[in-house]
């Protein structure tokens, strides 16, 4: 039985269609599978580009892991080639340009795919764009690491000659070879390297022995001869491919418009990416990502001359984010394995205005307890640092979130210091602001977590939109964090 299940879901707030990969933790029985899933998630959180299937969110329950992805409904490039027999050069060039653009972005992020093939290239039905998918075999380079990889992986017909050896290989150049094979398949309608036995197939790949059909244009022949070079040092790089005459054929200027597409997936898109994703790429914790995930605060219509600051509301958190914040979906152990990050529940509900909550907390921390407070007004957050007599510093973060209309969650998080001191400080502050706490405001253990995130449903609510649904969600929170596997 497979540990992976795929479903289509709907964002009930925006009506956006998404795809969800669901992994059953109970069926992930070996560490290698768990590590592969964790690596795939980490890689996809790094890449966000027009020609890559983009990751939207990662969630987890006690028994499931949910990877929410951009939905691409046009099918695989492989199926399109099979139906067409082969592409004309104009069509093949367009898809090849998009493949190279998306792959170049991934490489600049330090990600090599290692399993490029038409089955892993999806087509957007609405725009016709090609999108790279399935990063399960990918590798992530760090700045300090050698460029040579040693794991032989990929699909035999698309694998580069150096991957078949045991001397190590450059994952980026191996991807370039796979791009050449894909271009050949689009233009020819069949594989350049295809033999009944693996030994015969590998011998042909090692010698780069293939026949070019007569209908290939001179430009396509020349480009393929530069890309399908058995020696990585003699093989064209992506930059050289993008400057080749055939690649740019039909463009009015030497610099193709695909540079603009790269910008959409690079620096220009960075500002539009969810803050939670940028936070993770900088190494932040999952709770920090939740806290920074949406717009920090929204301006509300000010009435009767009230200051604009008073019209701000804390960010609204949906059901999934609420559970994540309270630990039921805590994914930090999945990436860091840090048992010390698991905390006691230190949060409460309040129905008082957010400005009043913030003012009271700041007064208690600074005036009554002598803490050094840093106030982040637009995020409804207070960073409080207390010095102990022994010279050690304890730092905690208080933040207010909107759960529903006139219902707020006050979360108290430990940033630095031991858990016992953190919990003791919380209890002290809670006693001093007891009048702010709503009746039954202490969060209870979740009993409906798995029901809320049940993969059996045909659609999943990513963002419950009504106050009633948000109040229902607030009852299913705060289960203790569980390991990924």
């Amino acid at each position: 039985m497979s540990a992976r299940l795929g479903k289509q879901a709907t964002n009930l707030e925006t009506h956006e269609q998404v795809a969800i990969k669901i992994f059953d933790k109970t069926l992930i029985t070996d560490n290698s599978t768990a590590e592969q899933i964790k690596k795939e998630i980490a890689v996809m959180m790094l890449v966000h580009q027009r020609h890559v299937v983009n990751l939207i969110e990662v969630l987890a329950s006690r028994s499931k892991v949910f990877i929410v992805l951009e939905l691409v409904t046009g099918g695989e490039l492989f199926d399109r080639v099979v139906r067409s027999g082969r592409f004309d050069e104009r069509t093949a060039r367009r898809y090849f340009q998009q493949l190279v653009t998306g792959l170049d972005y991934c490489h600049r992020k330090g990600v090599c795919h290692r399993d490029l093939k038409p089955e892993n290239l999806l087509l957007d039905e609405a725009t016709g764009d090609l999108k790279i998918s399935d990063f399960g075999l990918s590798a992530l380079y760090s700045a300090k690491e050698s460029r040579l990889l040693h794991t032989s992986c990929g699909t035999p017909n698309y694998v580069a000659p150096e991957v078949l050896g045991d001397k190590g290989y450059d994952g980026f150049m191996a991807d370039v070879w796979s791009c050449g094979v894909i271009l050949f398949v689009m233009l020819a309608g069949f594989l350049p390297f295809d033999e009944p036995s693996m030994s015969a197939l590998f011998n042909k790949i090692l010698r780069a022995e293939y026949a070019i059909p007569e209908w290939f244009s001179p430009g396509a022949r020349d480009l393929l001869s530069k890309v399908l070079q058995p020696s990585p040092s003699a093989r064209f790089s992506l930059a050289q491919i993008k400057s080749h005459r055939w690649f740019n054929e039909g463009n009015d200027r030497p610099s193709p418009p695909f540079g603009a597409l790269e910008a959409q997936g690079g620096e220009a898109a960075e500002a539009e990416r969810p803050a939670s994703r940028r936070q993770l790429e900088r190494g932040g914790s999952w709770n920090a990502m939740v806290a920074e995930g949406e717009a920090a605060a929204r301006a509300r219509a000010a009435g009767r001359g009230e200051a604009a600051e008073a019209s701000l509301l804390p960010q609204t958190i949906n059901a999934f984010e609420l559970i994540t914040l309270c630990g039921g979906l805590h994914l930090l152990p999945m990436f860091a394995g840090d048992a010390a990050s698991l905390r006691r529940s230190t949060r409460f509900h309040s129905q008082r205005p957010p400005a009043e909550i913030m003012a009271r907390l700041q007064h208690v921390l600074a005036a009554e307890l002598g803490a050094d407070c840093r106030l982040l007004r637009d995020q409804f957050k207070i960073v409080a640092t207390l010095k102990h007599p022994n010279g050690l510093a304890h730092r905690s973060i208080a933040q207010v979130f909107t759960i529903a209309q006139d219902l707020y969650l006050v979360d108290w998080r430990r940033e630095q210091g031991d858990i016992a001191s953190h919990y003791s400080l919380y209890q002290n502050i809670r006693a001093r602001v007891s009048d702010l706490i709503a009746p039954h405001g202490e969060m209870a253990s979740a009993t409906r977590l798995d029901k809320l995130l049940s993969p059996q449903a045909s659609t999943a609510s990513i963002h419950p939109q009504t106050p009633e649904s948000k109040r229902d969600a607030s009852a299913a929170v705060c289960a203790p964090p569980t390991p990924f596997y």
Side-chain angles (χ1 to χ4, degrees):
M1 185 176 179
S2 173
R4 176 186 300 188
L5 177 68
K7 286 191 175 290
Q8 184 173 332
T10 304
N11 181 325
L12 297 183
E13 204 168 68
T14 66
H15 304 293
E16 177 189 11
Q17 298 290 306
V18 297
I20 301 183
K21 281 185 182 180
I22 305 172
F23 294 90
D24 190 335
K25 294 180 184 179
T26 62
L27 298 179
I28 302 173
T29 56
D30 59 282
N31 287 343
S32 61
T33 303
E35 288 300 321
Q36 182 176 334
I37 295 172
K38 288 190 285 184
K39 182 182 68 175
E40 181 176 1
I41 292 171
V43 165
M44 293 198 71
M45 283 184 167
L46 281 176
V47 293
H48 184 80
Q49 208 260 357
R50 176 175 175 176
H51 297 299
V52 175
V53 175
N54 292 308
L55 176 70
I56 297 174
E57 186 62 279
V58 182
L59 304 166
S61 68
R62 293 181 185 276
S63 59
K64 304 288 191 302
V65 175
F66 304 83
I67 303 179
V68 185
L69 301 166
E70 170 188 14
L71 180 65
V72 183
T73 58
E76 300 172 357
L77 178 66
F78 176 84
D79 295 328
R80 186 70 59 87
V81 174
V82 170
R83 288 199 302 269
S84 302
R86 66 173 187 261
F87 293 158
D88 59 74
E89 289 204 0
R90 181 179 179 182
T91 302
R93 181 185 297 109
R94 175 171 175 263
Y95 287 136
F96 187 65
Q97 287 168 332
Q98 295 179 359
L99 169 60
V100 169
T101 297
L103 184 61
D104 185 48
Y105 171 79
C106 293
H107 285 186
R108 287 188 282 112
K109 288 288 186 179
V111 175
C112 59
H113 190 281
R114 299 202 295 181
D115 194 22
L116 289 172
K117 55 184 177 180
E119 293 90 331
N120 287 339
L121 303 176
L122 305 182
L123 302 179
D124 190 304
E125 191 173 26
T127 65
D129 285 346
L130 177 145
K131 294 178 180 288
I132 302 170
S133 71
D134 201 342
F135 286 81
L137 295 178
S138 61
L140 180 60
Y141 284 97
S142 68
K144 300 179 180 179
E145 172 174 65
S146 166
R147 285 173 63 90
L148 290 183
L149 303 173
H150 296 274
T151 302
S152 296
C153 59
T155 302
N157 301 91
Y158 296 88
V159 75
E162 62 271 21
V163 177
L164 302 176
D166 58 357
K167 298 180 180 179
Y169 60 93
D170 182 332
F172 298 143
M173 295 309 295
D175 279 350
V176 172
W177 172 279
S178 300
C179 285
V181 178
I182 292 169
L183 176 59
F184 185 102
V185 169
M186 289 192 292
L187 291 171
F190 56 85
L191 288 159
F193 309 105
D194 192 19
E195 293 295 330
S197 69
M198 284 296 170
S199 59
L201 173 64
F202 290 166
N203 284 332
K204 278 203 167 185
I205 292 174
L206 289 170
R207 298 194 302 268
E209 183 182 315
Y210 62 96
I212 294 184
E214 60 182 13
W215 58 83
F216 281 26
S217 70
R221 290 168 180 260
D222 183 68
L223 179 56
L224 282 168
S225 70
K226 300 294 195 305
V227 174
L228 296 179
Q229 281 285 337
S231 171
S233 61
R235 192 177 304 153
F236 258 23
S237 66
L238 291 180
Q240 289 173 306
I241 290 175
K242 291 196 292 182
S243 64
H244 190 273
R245 179 175 54 84
W246 184 88
F247 186 90
N248 292 292
E249 195 171 310
N251 296 332
D252 296 330
R253 51 188 178 182
S255 177
F258 301 97
L261 300 183
E262 292 177 36
Q264 290 182 23
E267 292 74 13
E270 184 71 15
E272 300 176 3
R273 303 173 68 180
S276 58
R277 292 168 53 98
R278 299 198 301 270
Q279 182 80 17
L280 181 61
E281 292 169 22
R282 294 193 297 266
S285 71
W286 189 262
N287 278 340
M289 284 186 282
V290 173
E292 307 292 342
E294 298 180 353
R298 299 188 303 274
R300 207 178 190 180
R304 297 185 180 179
E306 293 179 343
E309 182 179 318
S311 69
L312 295 179
L313 280 179
Q315 72 177 70
T316 299
I317 53 177
N318 59 50
F320 283 151
E321 291 169 322
L322 183 61
I323 298 169
T324 302
L325 180 67
C326 297
L329 304 181
H330 190 49
L331 298 187
L332 183 58
M334 189 173 76
F335 295 100
D338 182 9
S341 65
L342 309 184
R343 306 183 307 273
R344 301 189 193 201
S345 173
T346 49
R347 52 191 62 86
F348 58 84
H349 284 138
S350 179
Q351 294 177 308
R352 306 295 280 272
E356 180 184 345
I357 297 172
M358 292 290 290
R360 285 287 304 282
L361 289 175
Q362 185 179 16
H363 176 78
V364 168
L365 286 165
E368 298 183 22
L369 300 179
D372 178 17
C373 293
R374 182 163 62 94
L375 183 62
L376 305 176
R377 295 181 185 277
D378 62 339
Q379 299 175 36
F380 287 83
K381 181 190 294 186
I382 300 174
V383 181
T385 304
L386 279 167
K387 290 289 183 68
H388 288 286
N390 59 10
L392 297 177
H394 181 93
R395 182 178 300 116
S396 296
I397 297 176
Q399 185 164 11
V400 182
F401 298 93
T402 300
I403 297 177
Q405 186 175 359
D406 299 325
L407 180 62
Y408 305 99
L409 170 70
V410 180
D411 182 50
W412 184 258
R413 308 197 295 276
R414 177 174 63 93
E415 185 76 6
Q416 179 181 329
D418 63 274
I419 294 178
S421 298
H422 167 74
Y423 192 70
S424 175
L425 177 61
Y426 165 74
Q427 292 290 357
N428 189 354
I429 293 171
R430 183 177 178 277
R432 295 169 186 259
V433 297
S434 58
D435 58 306
L436 295 180
I437 301 175
H440 310 293
E442 286 296 333
M443 302 294 211
S445 297
T447 58
R448 298 186 296 153
L449 178 59
D450 285 321
K451 181 179 179 181
L452 176 65
L453 301 177
S454 172
Q456 276 69 42
S458 59
T459 60
S461 171
I462 307 301
H463 296 287
Q465 63 179 19
T466 64
E468 291 77 10
S469 64
K470 289 174 181 175
R471 287 193 177 95
D472 289 343
S474 69
V477 294
C478 294
T482 55
F484 175 60
Y485 59 90

